[in-house]
Amino acid sequence: MSKRDYYEVLSVGRDASEREIKKAYKRLAMKFHPDRNPGDKEAEVNFKEAKEAYEILTDANKKAAYDQFGHAGVDPNRGGGQGGGGDFGDIFGDVFGDIFGGGRRGGGQRQAARGSDLRYNLELSLEEAVRGLTKELRIPTLASCDSCDGSGANKGSSATTCGTCHGQGQVQMRQGFFAVQQACPTCHGRGKIIKDPCKKCHGEGRVEKSKTLSVKIPAGVDTGDRVRLTGEGEAGEFGAPPGDLYVQVSVREHNIFVRDGNNLYCEVPISFSKAALGGEIEVPTLDGKVNLKIPAESQTGRMFRLRGKGVKSVRSHAVGDLLCKVVMETPVKLNEKQKELLREFEATLTGESKKHSPKAEGFFDGVKKFFHDLNS
């Protein structure tokens, strides 16, 4: 299958500037990147096609050869160059370097990498999340070697400039009349060689280590919140800045309360007599018990709001409420006397169901109407 014209692939004219080409590739790369289209073979093909076009049209020599001879001028099988090859990380880093701080286009020594960020999953009880606390965490990480102060070189020695790349971290490889830059194979892009490596870290500048941190968890956190500890991640390479530590919070289920934002919900069982006659009941809160007045003739499922008994927001001073749903509990394990009393009570309601059970009466009236309409 013949290749599409590179200018057509990027939807730019033949007189497009390098900036316009870069902008066009960036748009396509974001659209068809494999990470955004997992398993999509067509997107993968489109991405590689756009990448190949970008590599050719942003290289002055390759672009000149392509403009004069077309694809034949940059076909590596015809001695014309590298075509769509090259390292994806380098090309992608070049295009998005202004966003992510990466990119090494134009040569120069590779910068020591910043340390990786770490994540610690912290599980809290509801009470701990609502009130806040200080936790001692033990974190396994890569720390700067204290024997060589992170340099990787043994005491009394230091890293020397790489003789292959002369400290640039990159070398040029010639293919025909094209010059291709790549990481120096001797120093692996660092620009320096450690001839006498540190005995403790073996020249890496970092060692595995566990550290204990005291972390303050603010009151009101919820599942999904995280606390960032700047500079407490892994140490960077050879003195580069460390990464950060993110403490990811998850809150265990509570046996009484359910949290929804800053509000708390709970179900409170009440007896039949308490629901019918009214009275006071004790209701649990995170600050202790409080008395809740139940009006006479309360129905099961009725919701009562206790203002200010919820959770204080971690992002403001607002405090949520506690919403209590009363659930009438049917008595169990009745003795014969209690059963007889209930039968007598039930008998007193005969003929007055509409008065004492308006919901039930309305329900059965509705059922009768439903079947009448169904059969008519």
Side-chain angles (χ1 to χ4, degrees):
M1 183 182 295
S2 60
K3 290 185 178 181
R4 285 203 298 157
D5 181 85
Y6 288 144
Y7 293 100
E8 179 186 342
V9 169
L10 299 179
S11 298
V12 296
R14 290 186 172 272
D15 58 347
S17 64
E18 183 173 344
R19 181 179 179 182
E20 291 172 328
I21 294 171
K22 181 176 179 179
K23 184 178 180 181
Y25 171 68
K26 179 178 176 181
R27 175 178 55 80
L28 294 174
M30 294 288 283
K31 180 179 180 181
F32 296 118
H33 192 277
D35 289 347
R36 291 192 168 196
N37 303 274
D40 189 335
K41 295 298 182 182
E42 184 177 353
E44 184 178 348
V45 170
N46 289 334
F47 177 81
K48 289 180 179 179
E49 187 180 46
K51 171 177 169 290
E52 180 179 331
Y54 172 81
E55 288 179 315
I56 298 299
L57 298 184
T58 53
D59 185 295
N61 292 328
K62 294 179 183 179
K63 184 177 185 297
Y66 178 74
D67 287 345
Q68 186 172 0
F69 302 108
H71 290 293
V74 291
D75 186 347
N77 297 322
R78 303 190 184 186
Q82 193 178 11
D87 179 64
F88 161 72
D90 287 342
I91 187 68
F92 198 71
D94 172 49
V95 173
F96 297 104
D98 55 334
I99 299 176
F100 300 108
R104 300 194 297 274
R105 190 172 180 85
Q109 181 179 340
R110 182 180 75 90
Q111 298 297 313
R114 172 183 177 272
S116 298
D117 293 335
L118 298 177
R119 188 176 85 166
Y120 185 94
N121 295 324
L122 179 62
E123 188 178 68
L124 302 175
S125 68
L126 178 62
E127 289 83 356
E128 289 174 327
V130 169
R131 298 188 180 106
L133 75 163
T134 299
K135 277 275 190 180
E136 297 289 326
L137 306 182
R138 188 166 180 80
I139 311 294
T141 184
L142 286 176
S144 179
C145 178
D146 54 11
S147 180
C148 64
D149 294 325
S151 69
N154 210 3
K155 286 186 176 180
S157 67
S158 59
T160 58
T161 301
C162 175
T164 303
C165 65
H166 307 291
Q168 293 302 304
Q170 294 186 345
V171 294
Q172 283 193 346
M173 303 293 289
R174 290 201 169 272
Q175 297 181 359
F177 57 89
F178 294 117
V180 180
Q181 280 191 333
Q182 65 180 34
C184 175
T186 304
C187 65
H188 306 291
R190 293 173 179 171
K192 293 184 179 295
I193 297 292
I194 299 175
K195 294 183 178 180
D196 184 15
C198 171
K199 301 293 190 297
K200 185 174 181 179
C201 67
H202 308 290
E204 294 297 322
R206 302 183 293 180
V207 293
E208 292 184 3
K209 186 178 181 180
S210 291
K211 59 183 177 181
T212 301
L213 298 175
S214 182
V215 182
K216 185 176 181 181
I217 306 297
V221 294
D222 200 359
T223 296
D225 289 337
R226 65 181 186 176
V227 178
R228 177 182 178 183
L229 301 178
T230 304
E232 294 295 352
E234 286 187 353
E237 290 184 344
F238 307 107
D244 300 331
L245 171 65
Y246 292 90
V247 180
Q248 192 79 28
V249 174
S250 63
V251 182
R252 293 191 296 271
E253 288 187 5
H254 198 272
N255 60 344
I256 296 177
F257 301 107
V258 175
R259 180 175 177 180
D260 182 14
N262 295 330
N263 292 330
L264 295 175
Y265 294 81
C266 72
E267 289 188 352
V268 182
I270 60 172
S271 65
F272 164 74
S273 58
K274 188 76 70 175
L277 303 176
E280 285 192 350
I281 59 172
E282 284 190 340
V283 174
T285 74
L286 292 177
D287 299 320
K289 296 179 179 179
V290 298
N291 290 328
L292 176 64
K293 186 175 181 181
I294 304 297
E297 302 179 1
S298 291
Q299 301 296 315
T300 189
R302 182 170 179 177
M303 196 77 74
F304 294 88
R305 183 184 296 270
L306 299 178
R307 298 195 178 278
K309 293 297 182 180
V311 182
K312 183 179 180 181
S313 172
V314 72
R315 296 173 180 83
S316 69
H317 297 294
V319 181
D321 304 327
L322 171 61
L323 292 100
C324 304
K325 183 170 76 171
V326 295
V327 178
M328 189 168 61
E329 190 172 34
T330 302
V332 298
K333 298 181 181 179
L334 299 175
N335 58 36
E336 285 303 320
K337 182 178 180 180
Q338 292 167 330
K339 292 178 182 178
E340 185 59 32
L341 288 173
L342 282 177
R343 293 187 188 101
E344 292 178 6
F345 172 72
E346 182 69 18
T348 65
L349 302 180
T350 303
E352 299 182 359
S353 58
K354 182 175 292 188
K355 176 180 179 182
H356 298 294
S357 304
K359 286 188 178 180
E361 190 69 21
F363 171 76
F364 288 116
D365 287 344
V367 171
K368 291 177 182 179
K369 184 177 184 305
F370 169 77
F371 283 110
H372 178 269
D373 293 342
L374 189 65
N375 297 321
S376 60

